[in-house]
Amino acid sequence: VVISDGVAVLLRPSVPHFEGDVLHELPESWIPTMIRLAMAFVVLVTVPLLVVPCAELIEGKMGMNAASPLASRLTLRFSLCLVCSGTA
């Protein structure tokens, strides 16, 4: 919240109707495009860092272990991604 408010204050003089989407307000050139691609890359790389530990906690609560079938573990992880995406 503090960072988004700070960005809003910085952009308010040049963009009077700033809605909070910084990527939308960037101009169209190669530098903002690279920033957008870098942010997408960071999101894609960090997803496994969140999904795997959370799924392992759920697997432990469900009594699953490393000897459990791979298909059931992958189904659980995919379901976790779907539930979190739907919630977001």
Side-chain angles (χ1 to χ4, degrees), residues 16-65:
H17 60 288
F18 179 70
E19 297 292 328
D21 187 6
V22 175
L23 292 179
H24 182 69
E25 299 298 336
L26 292 175
E28 294 296 325
S29 71
W30 69 274
I31 293 175
T33 302
M34 293 304 294
I35 292 171
R36 290 179 182 103
L37 289 173
M39 291 183 72
F41 176 74
V42 166
V43 169
L44 290 174
V45 170
T46 56
V47 165
L49 296 174
L50 298 171
V51 171
V52 172
C54 292
E56 287 179 352
L57 285 171
I58 295 171
E59 289 169 4
K61 294 292 182 183
M62 294 176 65
M64 300 169 72
N65 55 21

